[in-house]
Amino acid sequence: MNIIDIIMSAGKASVDVALYTLIPIMVVMLFIMKYLEVKGLLDFVVRHATPLLKPFGITGLAFFAMIQLNFVSFAAPLAALAIMEKRGTSDRHMAATLAMLFAMGQASTFYPLIPAGLHWSTALIVSICGGVLAAAATYHLFGRKLSDAALLNEDEAVTHQESKIGLIGIINSAGSDAIRLAMGSLPMLIISLSVVDILKEAGGIEMLTRLLSPLLDKLHISDVYILPALTKCLAGGTAYYGVVAGLVEKGLYSAHNINASAGLLIQTFDLPGIGIFLGLSSRFPRLFRFAVPGILLGIALRATVHAILF
């Protein structure tokens, strides 16, 4: 096993994700968010949505992130998180937002699986319910000791200087922010992918499969879920879809398998997802430990509902 080759391969894959996935999506989404901010629409939504969502620990901007994750892609909420960080969202609300995003499913995995038999509307509703539970549990229980005071006034209107920025200025600003944020996620992404590749080369995944098979047999759970689950945890949603698509093509993975496991396996709580999201801000890793119990609770709700329904 050549460690240097593995690291180089992981680095190349990480740069590909940053350049060809994160940056294009983030440029467009940040442009939309900044344009809405300059025009005052973002503040309007924040002011009116926050009181309604306050009991769940979800701010108006977090609501934007929820929509982006479930209807655009896993990378889309990074734009809303960037705005929240710039506006100084409190630690308590930010931890609740992180819990919500990690517990929900992402559109970039939902949509490709629809032709394979995924019940998208059910998966979407259950995803949102799981995210709301994760946010509420983190805000009111697991992160209750965190500061509830905003670092800045999140609800304040944009400044006069910002309102004078032209369209080209907004595009350039969105582009520079997208590049900075995407590059900031690279270190953790490289490390997580390196760990995955090292485990593969060392036979760790095959060993885990052999170890888990007897336990799954006792629980009457098919071992067909082992490879997709391990791939999801270690390599992320895109790799998970690739594995599932291959299994479906071979007739080894049915629509029932997809729907029954969607609540557990389609979420952003994996090594690449953690690396990308936590790389956005220096305070996110500190808040992450408060969000983890809420994340697990939200995913558990989604997994239970899918298991019962399908």
Side-chain angles (χ1 to χ4, degrees):
M1 179 172 61
N2 192 323
I3 299 295
I4 300 301
D5 286 345
I6 290 175
I7 294 174
M8 294 291 288
S9 176
K12 183 178 182 298
S14 300
V15 171
D16 285 344
V17 170
L19 289 181
Y20 303 114
T21 301
L22 294 182
I23 289 181
I25 292 174
M26 288 180 65
V27 166
V28 175
M29 296 310 301
L30 271 173
F31 165 72
I32 294 173
M33 294 291 289
K34 286 179 177 291
Y35 183 81
L36 293 176
E37 182 181 25
V38 169
K39 296 301 181 181
L41 296 177
L42 192 61
D43 295 283
F44 176 83
V45 173
V46 168
R47 283 195 302 270
H48 290 81
T50 297
L52 298 175
L53 299 171
K54 188 176 181 180
F56 304 105
I58 300 173
T59 67
L61 285 172
F63 177 66
F64 266 102
M66 176 193 291
I67 294 174
Q68 291 170 333
L69 180 64
N70 284 281
F71 290 94
V72 183
S73 82
F74 82 97
L78 296 175
L81 286 175
I83 298 294
M84 292 175 71
E85 178 67 9
K86 185 186 76 172
R87 293 189 168 198
T89 299
S90 71
D91 285 349
R92 194 173 176 187
H93 280 105
M94 190 65 83
T97 302
L98 289 174
M100 178 188 72
L101 294 177
F102 278 119
M104 290 192 300
Q106 65 269 46
S108 50
T109 303
F110 278 153
Y111 291 155
L113 287 176
I114 292 175
L118 176 70
H119 289 265
W120 176 77
S121 58
T122 302
L124 178 64
I125 293 171
V126 176
S127 170
I128 293 174
C129 291
V132 170
L133 174 63
T138 301
Y139 184 81
H140 292 290
L141 183 61
F142 306 116
R144 65 185 183 278
K145 294 183 179 179
L146 291 172
S147 172
D148 200 21
L151 304 181
L152 300 171
N153 184 5
E154 187 189 51
D155 298 331
E156 69 182 358
V158 294
T159 64
H160 293 296
Q161 183 179 0
E162 286 179 317
S163 64
K164 295 179 181 178
I165 297 177
L167 186 62
I168 300 300
I170 296 174
I171 294 173
N172 290 336
S173 176
S176 62
D177 285 348
I179 293 172
R180 175 178 56 81
L181 294 172
M183 293 301 104
S185 70
L186 270 178
M188 292 190 71
L189 189 57
I190 291 173
I191 291 174
S192 64
L193 292 183
S194 296
V195 170
V196 171
D197 290 341
I198 290 173
L199 284 175
K200 285 181 180 178
E201 291 295 324
I205 292 181
E206 290 79 4
M207 184 184 301
L208 284 172
T209 301
R210 289 196 298 271
L211 291 174
L212 290 174
S213 292
L215 176 61
L216 293 178
D217 289 340
K218 291 182 180 180
L219 297 174
H220 303 289
I221 299 176
S222 173
D223 59 3
V224 73
Y225 295 114
I226 294 178
L227 181 58
L230 291 176
T231 302
K232 167 61 184 174
C233 292
L234 298 175
T238 302
Y240 162 79
Y241 167 70
V243 168
V244 168
L247 292 174
V248 169
E249 186 176 349
K250 295 176 183 178
L252 301 175
Y253 212 75
S254 66
H256 167 74
N257 296 135
I258 293 173
N259 287 288
S261 62
L264 180 64
L265 299 183
I266 303 180
Q267 26 78 10
T268 58
F269 191 51
D270 49 52
L271 281 179
I274 292 171
I276 290 171
F277 278 84
L278 298 193
L280 280 177
S281 170
S282 59
R283 64 171 172 148
F284 284 7
R286 173 174 59 84
L287 300 177
F288 181 65
R289 66 187 180 92
F290 296 97
V292 169
I295 296 168
L296 296 178
L297 188 61
I299 293 175
L301 171 67
R302 294 183 57 215
T304 301
V305 172
H306 274 271
I308 292 173
L309 292 179
F310 300 102

